[in-house]
Structures are given as structure tokens and as C-alpha cells.
Amino acid sequence: MPRISDLTPLGVASLALLAEEPMHPYEMYQLLMARHEDRLVKVRPGTLYHAVGRLEDNGLVEATGTEREGNRPERTLYRITDAGKDALDDRLRAMLSTPVNEYPLFPHAIAEAHHLPAADVMELLEERVVALAADLDFLLRAEAVVTAKGLDRKYWIDISYQQAMRKTEIAWIRGLLEELGNGLLPWDESLATPPELSNKPKESLGKRS
């Protein structure tokens, strides 16, 4: 048995799908894309096949047979094992209870943004707000779709979480833009000559000692 911490996000997603019913990897990929779970987990057909292979090697899933559709090649069906169910439950418990620093890019960018002029930072943040607003609109439409289908909320609470995160980030950025715009957050002053150098005697041009 691998360590629970070794179970990757794609491994968790794969086990979760197979906990619903046996499937072949391509069907799993199609379902992940249809549910827009590629927003949560990096997934490509090749990486998914590799992830399922690793789960099988570790005894967390097992092949149950093959099926063929038309002239397509045979595809192997997999199902989750008892060990896989235990591993999925344990990993979910750890993911829900323990905060982990996932090293997101935006906080890093904000930490180093002082290297850019205020005007550039404001323009870039305005672009980010537009992109975040478009993403939030997508999430709101997704909520409307699943609500219209009568899908229990427990199956799509990730959508409401993502909405809350987008709204919070948009509000924070707009607050920062306001501070930069009205001068409450001094910015470009850091580009001025440091105090310790400002009183240094200037050497006359063209003169030699």
C-alpha cells in the first residue's frame, strides 16, 4: 500500500469516479471534462491512463474485463477495490482537515509586484479582474445549470466555493487598485535615490583630481 500522501489529485479523482461505477479510462476522461473537473485537476488522456495504471499497481483498482464500441479498439474496464475505497476515504479526510501551502502563483506575483511601476501594476490587475469576472460568470451559469437539473447541492459545492474565492479575490484587487489610484499606498517612491546616496558629493564632469 502506498502512503496516503502519495495519492495525487488525479489519483483521487480517478478513485472517486470508479467509486461511482466501473469505467474505462477514456470514459473517465470524458466524464471529468463534461463535469469541468479539469478546472480542479490537471488531466490529459495520457496522464489519466498512467494514473489508473499506478492505482492498479498499488492494488487500489483492478481490471474487470474489456468492452468494444463499434470498430474501436477494446478498452479495459476498471473498478475500485476495497483498499482503494479506504485510500480514497483517508486521503479525502486529510485533504479536508489539513491546510497545505500549494504555492499558488498570484501571491508570489503580488509579493514581487513592487519591481514594476504602479501604472503597470494597475493595468495588469485590471486585466486580471476582467478575467476573474468572466470566470465567475461561468461559475454562476454552471450553478444555474446544475440547479435546473435538480442535482443535490452536495455534488457541486465546489462550484460555490470557487465562486466565493473569485468574489473575494476580485474585491481584494479592487481595494488594492483604489489604494494605488488615490495614493494611499505609496509605490514608485522606492525607485528614487536611496537616502544614503542622496548626499554623496557629485564628481564634476570633465574634471580630474
Side-chain angles (χ1 to χ4, degrees):
M1 277 287 294
R3 293 177 303 173
I4 296 303
S5 59
D6 291 337
L7 198 55
T8 66
L10 187 53
V12 171
S14 300
L15 289 176
L17 286 175
L18 294 178
E20 296 179 21
E21 62 179 349
M23 316 182 192
H24 54 73
Y26 187 68
E27 182 184 2
M28 294 165 66
Y29 174 75
Q30 290 179 312
L31 195 51
L32 286 170
M33 299 303 291
R35 294 177 178 178
H36 301 291
E37 291 196 27
D38 56 312
R39 295 170 55 87
L40 306 175
V41 180
K42 268 189 180 179
V43 57
R44 292 191 178 96
T47 56
L48 183 56
Y49 276 92
H50 180 69
V52 172
R54 286 191 61 191
L55 294 173
E56 184 180 26
D57 291 341
N58 290 318
L60 304 183
V61 304
E62 61 186 7
T64 64
T66 59
E67 66 174 23
R68 183 191 297 273
E69 295 179 10
N71 295 324
R72 296 179 181 275
E74 286 189 343
R75 289 173 172 160
T76 303
L77 284 170
Y78 292 90
R79 69 181 177 192
I80 192 170
T81 63
D82 289 340
K85 291 175 183 176
D86 290 341
L88 175 62
D89 289 351
D90 290 344
R91 184 63 180 136
L92 287 174
R93 288 190 177 96
M95 290 166 66
L96 286 168
S97 64
T98 309
V100 175
N101 186 359
E102 297 169 346
Y103 302 100
L105 291 177
F106 185 58
H108 188 194
I110 283 294
E112 303 298 346
H114 57 272
H115 291 285
L116 298 174
D120 290 359
V121 172
M122 292 177 70
E123 182 180 351
L124 295 167
L125 290 178
E126 292 282 7
E127 290 180 15
R128 187 178 185 91
V129 167
V130 170
L132 288 170
D135 197 40
L136 177 58
D137 183 62
F138 170 83
L139 291 166
L140 292 169
R141 285 186 279 112
E143 179 181 353
V145 169
V146 294
T147 301
K149 290 181 178 179
L151 190 65
D152 287 348
R153 186 165 176 265
K154 66 182 179 181
Y155 295 116
W156 52 270
I157 53 175
D158 61 296
I159 292 179
S160 59
Y161 171 78
Q162 291 181 72
Q163 288 175 4
M165 297 299 288
R166 300 298 181 276
K167 290 175 182 177
T168 299
E169 186 172 335
I170 289 172
W172 187 87
I173 291 175
R174 284 177 174 161
L176 179 60
L177 285 169
E178 184 176 353
E179 287 188 87
L180 289 170
N182 60 25
L184 284 178
L185 177 58
W187 196 266
D188 291 329
E189 285 81 352
S190 61
L191 300 179
T193 304
E196 63 271 18
L197 299 181
S198 59
N199 296 322
K200 184 178 180 180
K202 294 181 180 178
E203 188 174 354
S204 300
L205 293 176
K207 283 190 176 182
R208 294 184 182 178
S209 55

